[in-house]
Amino acid sequence: MVVMVGLLSTMALSSWNSALGRWHVSSAQQQIALAIRQTQAKAQRHSANWQFSIHETAAGNVKWASHPQKDLPRIWKTVGRKELDIDPADTTLDSVSGIYYIRFDYKGNLASRTRTLTLTHRNVSSVKRCLIMSTILGEIRLANEQSRPNSSGRRCY
């Protein structure tokens, strides 16, 4: 009987941790989508090129910044919890020195081809959430990882 209770408790805890991991990554996905949309709006409002930048710190936090493209980020904001990671294998944003970015021109148009940002949970590797920025108008789609990869071998599309 004690073994049965222990087994059921372990299964319940595993399910709970998985559900909590999905919620944390989905919440971070929503926060980042909002920040990207705000960056796009700033580009339009200021009639200037703006950039959304995101990276993982050495301490393991994911941080983002919204700033004019010509300037370096001054204020970085933490998104999600420390268990959040950027999946480099499924992220197609441009990057410089470990900082991923997406740019909008002065009209708020996406200044590059379709880009994907994929987030994962450090402790629940099966949880992946994607942000797909496409079209010149900068449409942002939220997606989950697909069960089969596309022709490029990516699972977020």
Side-chain angles (χ1 to χ4, degrees):
M1 184 65 158
V2 173
V3 172
M4 184 67 105
V5 170
L7 184 61
L8 289 174
S9 296
T10 301
M11 289 174 28
L13 183 60
S14 177
S15 293
W16 172 253
N17 286 338
S18 182
L20 196 57
R22 279 191 302 278
W23 182 79
H24 286 149
V25 176
S26 294
S27 176
Q29 178 192 41
Q30 294 286 332
Q31 289 174 25
I32 291 170
L34 179 61
I36 291 171
R37 286 187 180 105
Q38 289 172 343
T39 302
Q40 184 180 29
K42 287 176 184 177
Q44 293 169 320
R45 189 171 49 252
H46 296 286
S47 294
N49 296 348
W50 274 70
Q51 179 171 309
F52 171 83
S53 301
I54 189 166
H55 76 288
E56 283 187 57
T57 66
N61 295 310
V62 174
K63 295 193 172 206
W64 65 270
S66 176
H67 56 95
Q69 183 181 329
K70 62 182 174 55
D71 298 335
L72 292 174
R74 290 180 291 176
I75 300 171
W76 289 93
K77 298 178 183 178
T78 302
V79 64
R81 300 171 56 93
K82 198 167 187 169
E83 296 89 10
L84 184 69
D85 286 325
I86 297 172
D87 181 0
D90 237 343
T91 295
T92 61
L93 295 180
D94 290 322
S95 67
V96 173
S97 302
I99 298 175
Y100 295 99
Y101 63 88
I102 187 110
R103 293 177 175 157
F104 295 95
D105 70 14
Y106 69 99
K107 292 182 180 179
N109 298 325
L110 191 62
S112 61
R113 61 181 168 73
T114 298
R115 301 291 183 187
T116 304
L117 172 64
T118 303
L119 305 170
T120 64
H121 192 280
R122 192 167 298 147
N123 301 324
V124 188
S125 60
S126 63
V127 175
K128 292 192 180 191
R129 298 293 182 263
C130 321
L131 292 98
I132 303 164
M133 287 122 318
S134 60
T135 76
I136 194 165
L137 299 176
E139 173 192 352
I140 300 171
R141 287 187 300 116
L142 306 182
N144 298 342
E145 180 183 40
Q146 303 298 313
S147 58
R148 286 189 273 183
N150 66 8
S151 60
S152 302
R154 301 202 187 293
R155 292 189 178 268
C156 277
Y157 54 90

